[in-house]
Amino acid sequence: MRWMELEIRQLTEQDYYERMALSQFAFQMRWTDDQLKQRKQTYLPEQDWGVFDGANKLMSALTLLPLEVWVQGKKMAMGGVAGVATWPEARRQGCVGRLLSHALETMRNEGQSLSMLHPFSFSFYRKYGYELTIERKKYAIPTRLLPSRKETPGEVRRMAKPDVAVLDAIYSTYASRYNGMLARSADWWTERALHKEGAAVVYFNEEGSPEGYVFYDCLDGKMTVHEIVALDETARTALWTFIANHDSMIGETTLFAPIDDGFPYLLDDPRIGQELIPYFMSRIVDAEAFAKQYAWEQGTGEESVLLRLEDRHAPWNDGTFRLSWSKEGEGTLERVDGAADSGADAISCDIQALTAMLLGGRKPTWLASVGRVSGSAEGLKRLERRIPERTAYLMDFF
C-alpha cells in the first residue's frame, strides 16, 4: 500500500456501517441490527476520523472526543482519543501513526492542549508521546471488614431518579481536587456515568446541603460501588455506614479509589484486598498553550529555566524554550531556538516526561534519577518547586 493512495478525513453518515463493522471486529463484540439502528441515531460522524485507501475503503479509524478535564483546580480543554481500530490487512503500515499525528494537529487547532486515552498497550502509545499519568486502587472488602457503623448528623436519601444537578454539584467540587477528572456535561451524566445498572443515594448534612453520594449495585451477594464521592469526613462516614447496612445481603464490596486514598488506615482491620491498576495515559498536545493555562505554584519572585524539549510527532513542541514564571504563578513557555542552551538552569526531556511531571505527579528530581530527565540540580529543584502537588485520578472511561 503506497502512502499516496491513502486519505485521512472525517467520517460521514454514509461511513457508519463500515465504521461499526471495524469496531465490532477490533473489539470483539457483536451488535444486533436493532442495536446498530439505535446507535445510528446518536452517531456523531464528525468525531470520527479514518484512513481510507484509493478505493475509499476504511482501513483505520479513531474517535476524537471534545472534553474538559480538571487540571490544578482549573478546567482545561482535552481531546479524548477512543475507538482506535485497524483491519488486520492494514496493520504495520503506519495507518494509526498517521491518524494520531493528524489528531494532534486537529486538537491543537481546536485549542485542546491536552489529550488522554485508555491504551490497549502502554508501550505502543508511548511511541506517540503519551505517558501513564493515572493509576487507580481497587479494593475488595469482605463484609466482615467493612467500617463500623456510626451515627452521623444529616441523612442519606435514596434517589428514585438520579438528580443530575445535585450529583454534579458534589462531583464537580470533588473532581476539581484531582488532575485528570472529567468536567461532566449533562449528556455525559445521563449517557455515560449513570448508564450502568444500580441506584444512587445522596448524603445531606444537617443544613440540607448535599455533600456526598454513592452509585452502586448489588447482585449475587456482591456490592459493586460504581462511584463514591464524599466532600468531608462526615459524609464519608455516613456513606460507609450506609454501605455497611447491606451486611445481611452481601459478602464483598468492590470499588475503585485514588492512589492517595487513606481508607485502609481507617479500618479496624486493614487487611483488605488492594490492587494498583495502571489506567489512563495523557499527552501534552501544545506545550506553549498548556504552560500558559497551567496553574503553577507561586514563588518569591520571577524565575525561569531553559527547557530542551523533544517531541517527534508534534514539531511545534520540539526545540528549545524558556519556561518562565511570575511571582504569582503565571507561566509562559517561549521558543528560543538558536539561543545558548547550556547553563546552570538547562533541563532536557521529552514530551512524555514533561507530561508525567505536570499531570502524573512524577517529580523532576526523581525522573532525573531514573534517566528520564537531565539537567542541573538547581534547575530541577526550581522546576519542582513550581509544580503543585496534586493526585491524578479519573472515575470515567472512554
Side-chain angles (χ1 to χ4, degrees), residues 123-141:
S123 61
F124 178 85
Y125 284 104
R126 275 178 169 146
K127 293 186 297 185
Y128 298 99
Y130 286 85
E131 186 53 88
L132 169 65
T133 53
I134 298 175
E135 300 167 281
R136 304 192 300 180
K137 285 201 291 188
K138 182 179 181 180
Y139 294 140
I141 310 168

Side-chain angles (χ1 to χ4, degrees), residues 5-134:
E5 297 176 340
L6 299 181
E7 176 192 11
I8 295 179
R9 64 169 173 82
Q10 283 178 301
L11 271 61
T12 67
E13 290 186 4
Q14 286 68 41
D15 301 309
Y16 171 75
Y17 285 103
E18 195 172 2
R19 171 58 159 143
M20 293 302 103
L22 174 57
S23 295
Q24 289 181 85
F25 178 85
F27 301 113
Q28 302 180 48
M29 55 188 177
R30 296 289 185 272
W31 291 317
T32 66
D33 289 342
D34 287 342
Q35 288 174 321
L36 286 170
K37 290 177 182 177
Q38 184 176 8
R39 292 176 67 89
K40 190 175 182 181
Q41 296 176 9
T42 57
Y43 179 60
L44 299 174
E46 65 274 14
Q47 293 183 356
D48 269 351
W49 289 85
V51 176
F52 293 82
D53 67 8
N56 199 35
K57 178 184 177 183
L58 180 64
M59 307 304 293
S60 298
L62 63 73
T63 302
L64 191 53
L65 301 169
L67 301 170
E68 283 188 312
V69 292
W70 290 96
V71 176
Q72 299 297 1
K74 298 168 59 176
K75 292 180 184 179
M76 192 174 293
M78 185 272 287
V81 175
V84 181
T86 303
W87 288 110
E89 59 269 27
R91 289 176 186 162
R92 296 174 179 84
Q93 299 186 49
C95 291
V96 171
R98 291 194 67 188
L99 266 181
L100 288 171
S101 293
H102 185 84
L104 289 172
E105 293 180 3
T106 301
M107 286 185 276
R108 185 191 185 210
N109 292 335
E110 294 295 324
Q112 298 161 351
S113 59
L114 170 64
S115 178
M116 294 171 61
L117 58 80
H118 183 264
F120 78 93
S121 165
F122 285 90
S123 61
F124 178 85
Y125 284 104
R126 275 178 169 146
K127 293 186 297 185
Y128 298 99
Y130 286 85
E131 186 53 88
L132 169 65
T133 53
I134 298 175

Side-chain angles (χ1 to χ4, degrees), residues 280-347:
F280 258 68
M281 303 182 82
S282 304
R283 189 202 205 282
I284 294 173
V285 173
D286 187 334
E288 293 184 65
F290 187 86
K292 188 174 183 179
Q293 298 172 61
Y294 194 77
W296 301 90
E297 196 68 76
Q298 295 183 3
T300 57
E302 294 183 354
E303 293 180 296
S304 69
V305 293
L306 201 65
L307 181 64
R308 295 194 294 270
L309 186 59
E310 178 186 343
D311 192 338
R312 293 184 296 168
H313 296 279
W316 53 87
N317 291 332
D318 195 271
T320 303
F321 299 84
R322 175 66 64 178
L323 177 57
S324 305
W325 306 281
S326 69
K327 177 181 179 181
E328 294 73 24
E330 296 176 347
T332 58
L333 189 67
E334 181 182 8
R335 184 177 290 275
V336 291
D337 289 342
D341 61 353
S342 61
D345 63 353
I347 296 173

Side-chain angles (χ1 to χ4, degrees), residues 190-208:
T190 56
E191 296 173 12
R192 301 263 192 157
L194 296 174
H195 194 63
K196 302 171 184 175
E197 293 292 332
V201 298
V202 177
Y203 166 72
F204 292 85
N205 65 16
E206 289 177 291
E207 287 72 40

Side-chain angles (χ1 to χ4, degrees), residues 5-6 13 131 139 146 174 193 212-213 237 245 346 373 397:
E5 297 176 340
L6 299 181
E13 290 186 4
E131 186 53 88
Y139 294 140
L146 285 171
Y174 179 79
Y213 71 83
T237 301
N245 283 335
V373 173
F397 178 86

